[in-house]
Amino acid sequence: MNRGRSTFLTVWLILGYTFLYAPIILMMIYSFNASRLATVWGGFSTRWYGELLHNQMVIDAAVLSLKIAAVSASVATVLGTLGGIALARFGRFRGRLLFSGMITAPLVMPDVITGLSLLLLFVAMEEAIGWPEGRGMVTIMIAHITFCMAYVAVIIQSRLTQIDEALEEAAMDLGSRPFRVMLDITLPLLAPAMISGWLLAFTLSLDDLVIATFTSGPGATTLPMVIFSKVKLGITPDINALATVIIIVVTVVVVTGTVILNRISYRRLVESQRALAET
Amino acid sequence: MATDTCREDRGRWRQGIATHLLQALGDAWRTLVVGVPYVWLLLFFLVPFLIILKISFAVSIIARPPYTPLWDWGPDGTLTISLNVINYAFLLEDPLYILGYLNSLKIAAISTVLCLLVGYPIAYGIARSPHGTRNLLLLLVILPFWTSFLLRIYAWMGILNKQGVLNNMLIALGVVDQPITFMNTDFAVYVGIVYSYLPFMILPIYVNLERMDISLVEAAMDLGSRPSRVFIDVTLPLSVPGIVAGSLLVFIPATGEYVIPALLGSPSNPMIGRVLFDEFYTNRDWPLASAVAVMLLIVLVVPILLFQRYQLRQGEDGR
């Protein structure tokens, strides 16, 4: 694909990226607006950032969301990695069709269905075994793990199809047991994919509103739930400030993460190529 | 010669035993690798659906839980199973639900086409960029996807508002002299869905175009085809798998979308996700909400199966 872009494509790219970024940039600009009205520019001010710092409800919700996201992303990465390995390396096993169906379905499943079905499960479990009592952080985590592991599994599976199976087979031929092969060969090769899977699961969990609303109890309010209830009332300028903070933090993390991961996976690629060339 | 074969045989034998042992270990290991996520998914993905299905056949009552049991053991040990199809009958009778489903399908379909029209040239443009800029352009497509979905919808509320940026701009340019109502219309919902789901359309198409065998395009060029013909006859047909994947990734979740219509859409013209939400939280009718969910799933079964077939084929192609 190196024949170069036509003028049409260049113009379209510029328009496309403007469409993607203009709303975000506008929101950031208005976060420094002194006026309460969203559209009237009342001069530069950091007032909304100050108000944000003193909003205990927002801070509590943010802390809860971060906790849920950290735990959910970690468990989802473990389960999703196992699932991805099974799908990419185990060929045909009993129940594979059901397994691959269950693991990819959450990618497209509408949130309202996932949320409702999990809530009904938790209610039924509480009736039957007395757990979980009420709902809260743990039930949101279980729900988030379930839909995040699908994303991790897909990332891991596609990375495994790019990794040369010869490396694992060579280790097997040299007498390594499957467990050792996974520990010494497969997992290190998968590390960059696992990190990007974790990051994706983390942000998906932080972002989720619908499933968290269904699976949370009265005591657990996540950040998206707070934002949604504020936003429904209309434009509130402190949300602009909150959005700006979130977007800047996420951008810094994602860009640094991507640069580091690219470097790691490039180095690994070079190393494994060299190893293969020497054999 | 004879001793050689003998030794070879013995060696093979020994190797056979070792392989068997290793195989048994490997099998246990494999069971664990598949088993753990499998059990999790059975428990937290499949069982919840069976429960939704079960409750959709119950009747709403004021109790805890607020629905009738599906089966009951009588005092003499008889089992009575009461399957109520009343919820489903109700869904078919009341036009609110049918209109909700149709409205959702319409909005999802139009949004998918709009995403494709906007996204295909972007994916194509990225694939045709030099290697260095390609990664940067891709990162720029993915970046908004990492930042909060809810906040990006909120950003559009500031733009589409009656006194919002868009109306201010249109008035300043003299295009209109009265502010136009964008908020709480289908138009706003289309903008919201296209904006949020665009990366889901661009990425599969890009991956597909990038993997495409460039020699086919070059061959067509060498044979004298004009670029537009090459695009229509070679590139476009070859990128159909990417288009299908992207369209499904947009269409299926958009059909059940709740947040975007709740914030940008009109209350009088609800999508089915909103209907389900209201049935559950406002009317507290759990069985009816379950029936709405089951019907939504039935409507989406064909697209979801298509998506899964695509995923499977992708996995096999890679090998």
Side-chain angles (χ1 to χ4, degrees):
Chain A
M1 285 272 149
N2 266 330
R3 290 207 177 243
R5 300 191 301 248
S6 64
T7 334
F8 167 75
L9 283 180
T10 311
V11 171
W12 198 271
L13 278 181
I14 293 169
L15 287 177
Y17 284 95
T18 311
F19 174 61
L20 281 177
Y21 283 93
I24 298 176
I25 291 166
L26 275 173
M27 184 164 62
M28 291 173 134
I29 294 172
Y30 275 99
S31 77
F32 293 103
N33 185 5
S35 156
R36 176 162 271 288
L37 293 164
T39 49
V40 184
W41 184 256
F44 179 89
S45 150
T46 52
R47 146 182 188 204
W48 304 114
Y49 290 89
E51 280 195 14
L52 198 65
L53 270 179
H54 295 110
N55 193 335
Q56 198 55 43
M57 194 171 69
V58 168
I59 294 171
D60 288 346
V63 171
L64 180 74
S65 282
L66 287 172
K67 274 189 208 160
I68 292 174
V71 174
S72 307
S74 305
V75 180
T77 304
V78 173
L79 293 176
T81 303
L82 294 178
I85 291 176
L87 285 178
R89 286 292 190 257
F90 285 9
R92 303 200 184 280
F93 53 84
R94 228 186 324 149
R96 186 198 155 103
L97 199 65
L98 177 65
F99 185 65
S100 65
M102 286 195 302
I103 216 162
T104 50
L107 292 177
V108 284
M109 194 60 67
D111 289 349
V112 281
I113 300 184
T114 313
L116 179 65
S117 68
L118 277 163
L119 169 61
L120 296 176
L121 170 81
F122 292 138
V123 171
M125 277 169 73
E126 198 180 351
E127 293 288 318
I129 58 171
W131 185 90
E133 246 180 286
R135 285 168 301 281
M137 198 165 84
V138 177
T139 46
I140 302 177
M141 280 175 187
I142 292 176
H144 284 187
I145 291 165
T146 309
F147 84 88
C148 287
M149 69 188 272
Y151 288 85
V152 178
V154 167
I155 292 179
I156 295 291
Q157 188 191 0
S158 75
R159 178 60 60 96
L160 275 171
T161 53
Q162 289 161 19
I163 293 173
D164 196 345
E165 235 170 310
L167 289 169
E168 288 153 44
E169 279 160 7
M172 293 273 211
D173 289 344
L174 294 169
S176 286
R177 291 180 186 163
F179 178 67
R180 276 239 76 88
V181 173
M182 178 157 154
L183 217 58
D184 292 344
I185 311 284
T186 316
L187 284 184
L189 283 171
L190 278 182
M194 284 170 73
I195 297 171
S196 47
W198 190 91
L199 278 174
L200 181 60
F202 186 80
T203 43
L204 284 170
S205 168
L206 268 190
D207 209 15
D208 166 64
L209 167 71
V210 173
I211 295 174
T213 305
F214 272 108
T215 52
S216 82
T221 311
T222 62
L223 192 58
M225 288 160 74
V226 172
I227 296 173
F228 186 71
S229 61
K230 278 171 87 73
V231 162
K232 273 211 86 158
L233 299 174
I235 310 289
T236 43
D238 51 335
I239 296 289
N240 285 330
L242 181 63
T244 308
V245 172
I246 293 178
I247 287 165
I248 288 174
V249 170
V250 169
T251 307
V252 169
V253 171
V254 170
V255 170
T256 345
T258 313
V259 170
I260 294 172
L261 288 179
N262 273 346
R263 218 166 273 168
I264 294 176
S265 57
Y266 176 74
R267 207 170 53 216
R268 278 204 198 288
L269 192 73
V270 171
E271 276 168 12
S272 63
Q273 297 286 348
R274 196 179 297 150
L276 272 180
E278 278 167 13
T279 50
Chain B
M1 274 300 266
T3 47
D4 268 2
T5 2
C6 196
R7 198 179 298 148
E8 227 169 73
D9 273 356
R10 211 185 302 147
R12 209 171 285 153
W13 226 85
R14 229 178 259 153
Q15 224 175 10
I17 293 176
T19 325
H20 267 290
L21 266 175
L22 282 177
Q23 188 124 32
L25 261 174
D27 282 349
W29 173 238
R30 282 167 63 114
T31 312
L32 196 69
V33 171
V34 190
V36 175
Y38 214 131
V39 169
W40 181 283
L41 287 169
L42 283 177
L43 198 57
F44 295 116
F45 192 75
L46 196 63
V47 171
F49 280 118
L50 299 178
I51 291 178
I52 274 207
L53 195 62
K54 182 197 134 192
I55 292 176
S56 72
F57 288 112
V59 177
S60 179
I61 50 169
I62 300 169
R64 208 187 121 76
Y67 49 86
T68 53
L70 200 55
W71 47 73
D72 238 338
W73 291 97
D76 48 348
T78 49
L79 175 67
T80 31
I81 298 176
S82 39
L83 273 185
N84 281 290
V85 287
I86 187 167
N87 298 311
Y88 291 95
F90 193 61
L91 288 188
L92 294 176
E93 266 168 35
D94 194 328
L96 168 75
Y97 302 100
I98 301 198
L99 284 178
Y101 286 112
L102 290 178
N103 194 32
S104 289
L105 288 175
K106 182 194 92 187
I107 289 180
I110 294 178
S111 307
T112 307
V113 173
L114 290 174
C115 262
L116 184 62
L117 292 177
V118 178
Y120 195 99
I122 296 180
Y124 194 64
I126 300 175
R128 289 230 151 177
S129 297
H131 269 282
T133 36
R134 221 186 271 180
N135 282 339
L136 178 69
L137 289 174
L138 264 186
L139 183 65
L140 284 175
V141 168
I142 303 169
L143 206 54
F145 167 76
W146 289 89
T147 62
S148 173
F149 162 75
L150 187 56
L151 291 175
R152 283 184 292 132
I153 295 303
Y154 166 73
W156 276 103
M157 291 172 73
I159 295 174
L160 298 175
N161 225 352
K162 204 140 206 162
Q163 298 92 36
V165 179
L166 187 58
N167 267 321
N168 285 352
M169 230 167 67
L170 289 177
I171 290 171
L173 288 173
V175 182
V176 292
D177 40 38
Q178 283 293 312
I180 305 172
T181 312
F182 292 116
M183 276 292 287
N184 305 114
T185 62
D186 280 358
F187 171 78
V189 177
Y190 291 131
V191 171
I193 296 182
V194 171
Y195 184 69
S196 316
Y197 287 92
L198 196 56
F200 292 100
M201 183 63 90
I202 295 177
L203 290 177
I205 296 177
Y206 165 77
V207 169
N208 184 281
L209 287 173
E210 204 228 356
R211 278 191 199 154
M212 210 171 77
D213 192 352
I214 187 70
S215 59
L216 290 171
V217 173
E218 277 164 0
M221 292 277 205
D222 291 345
L223 291 170
S225 284
R226 301 222 331 260
S228 56
R229 275 240 75 86
V230 176
F231 178 78
I232 291 167
D233 290 343
V234 182
T235 312
L236 199 58
L238 282 174
S239 57
V240 165
I243 293 174
V244 172
S247 303
L248 290 170
L249 277 173
V250 174
F251 178 80
I252 304 170
T255 310
E257 193 40 69
Y258 169 73
V259 179
I260 298 173
L263 292 180
L264 301 175
S266 82
S268 60
N269 207 8
M271 287 176 74
I272 201 68
R274 175 76 171 275
V275 173
L276 188 155
F277 221 82
D278 288 349
E279 222 43 86
F280 190 82
Y281 281 106
T282 316
N283 300 342
R284 306 216 122 260
D285 192 336
W286 292 23
L288 192 61
S290 302
V292 172
V294 171
M295 285 298 278
L296 175 57
L297 208 58
I298 291 174
V299 169
L300 287 177
V301 153
V302 174
I304 288 178
L305 286 179
L306 277 174
F307 171 79
Q308 248 144 36
R309 250 191 52 195
Y310 168 81
Q311 279 279 324
L312 272 181
R313 202 177 303 153
Q314 270 256 314
E316 274 156 22
D317 274 355
R319 252 181 279 167

